[in-house]
Amino acid sequence: GDSFPTISSSGANAAIIHYQPTHDACAAIRKDAIYLCDTGAQYADGTTDITRTVHMGAPTAEERRCYTLVLAGHVDLARLAFPHGTVGLQLDAIARAPLWRAGFNFNHGTGHGMGACLNVHEGPFGIGGGATPVATLSAAAKRRYLEPIVPGCYVSDEPGIYVDGKFGVRLESDLVAVHAGDDLAGAAYATPRPFLKFDYLTKVPFCRALIDVTLLSPAQRDWLDDFHAACLRDVAPLLEARARQASGEDDADAALAWLRRECRPLGDGTAGS
């Protein structure tokens, strides 16, 4: 079943972080507006919490800029290597840095722990602290954000930008901390604190129409191309099998076409095409 009530928000409602619609105060999903969906489920082998923000028409330059800044912060945290025992308060600034440089911030944590078929928000660790002055953090938040990240920590990566009355962007995937092993150049040197990295578990592509590639670094673009190649490699066979079984009776063919379109390399034409 669901791991929490889905947050499904269009246009200005996407700027409300924990939006929940009511029958007399909601908005239809429109082709000319940003759509944010934050959803998760309980599985026998774990719990998920995933957010994607998409646009099904022609986004504005402002929407693309904000989306790409959030994407840059999301990718920078996902591709980070860090010493064993680093705390979430230190990691938080990595995801916020592209936003801070442009004068944006977001009023929630960057990442939270998740249980396995348990609570979708679960301690004892988390990534955050940059939303408010440290002096105003609660005792519980300080404990959570000062808890070291160690191998096996299963955590979300979810920066965002929220423009009141207009739109919101949040990108959230699920990561697990693992030993970096010999992947780093410094692995040949003895260090008192071994390095960790994150394995990226969420195989859902990002919205190509909202990406402004000129705002991304070469390393960020390379990471995204590698990630999208992995999405296509791992997910396309499942959709192809579903399409064969369904004989055109469901949306598997349309989903496969969407997956192939969104997973093209960023250098393949215009990102917003």
Side-chain angles (χ1 to χ4, degrees):
D2 291 346
S3 55
F4 61 95
T6 294
I7 299 171
S8 176
S9 52
S10 178
N13 289 336
I16 303 171
I17 294 171
H18 294 115
Y19 172 77
Q20 288 295 321
T22 60
H23 288 292
D24 58 350
C26 58
I29 299 173
R30 307 194 320 269
K31 189 174 181 180
D32 63 348
I34 268 182
Y35 173 64
L36 184 155
C37 186
D38 185 345
T39 187
Q42 303 278 18
Y43 299 94
D45 54 354
T47 296
T48 64
D49 184 357
I50 299 166
T51 306
R52 288 295 184 265
T53 303
V54 301
H55 200 295
M56 290 163 278
T60 66
E62 181 186 20
E63 289 169 337
R64 296 182 72 218
R65 179 170 183 261
C66 288
Y67 182 95
T68 307
L69 291 172
V70 172
L71 179 61
H74 179 92
V75 169
D76 283 350
L77 180 58
R79 59 186 291 269
L80 186 68
F82 53 95
H84 188 288
T86 298
V87 302
L89 184 63
Q90 295 168 300
L91 298 182
D92 183 60
I94 302 298
R96 293 182 191 266
L99 285 68
W100 284 351
R101 281 193 291 268
F104 291 99
N105 203 4
F106 52 93
N107 194 28
H108 57 74
T110 294
H112 58 82
M114 288 165 280
C117 282
L118 294 168
N119 295 324
V120 72
H121 284 210
E122 187 170 289
F125 57 89
I127 300 174
T132 62
V134 171
T136 67
L137 287 174
S138 67
K142 288 178 181 178
R143 286 195 301 270
R144 187 165 60 251
Y145 297 146
L146 292 176
E147 181 73 20
I149 304 294
V150 298
C153 284
Y154 179 43
V155 65
S156 66
D157 172 2
E158 51 179 303
I161 288 177
Y162 308 93
V163 183
D164 287 345
K166 298 181 72 174
F167 63 88
V169 174
R170 183 165 63 254
L171 298 172
E172 178 181 16
S173 294
D174 302 337
L175 318 176
V176 62
V178 298
H179 287 289
D182 297 330
D183 291 347
L184 306 178
Y189 302 89
T191 60
R193 296 170 63 193
F195 273 72
L196 306 180
K197 63 177 183 177
F198 289 119
D199 276 354
Y200 196 96
L201 305 181
T202 302
K203 297 293 178 66
V204 181
F206 297 101
C207 181
R208 190 178 178 88
L210 282 165
I211 298 174
D212 182 348
V213 294
T214 66
L215 299 178
L216 297 172
S217 70
Q220 291 163 346
R221 293 197 296 268
D222 288 347
W223 187 95
L224 284 164
D225 280 345
D226 289 345
F227 165 70
H228 282 141
C231 284
L232 189 61
R233 180 195 67 222
D234 295 344
V235 179
L238 304 177
L239 291 174
E240 289 166 351
R242 176 70 177 266
R244 288 194 297 271
Q245 295 168 0
S247 300
E249 295 177 2
D250 70 2
D251 293 329
D253 284 328
L256 185 57
W258 167 82
L259 180 72
R260 287 171 174 159
R261 183 177 68 248
E262 297 297 272
C263 289
R264 286 178 297 155
L266 291 178
D268 179 12
T270 302
S273 63

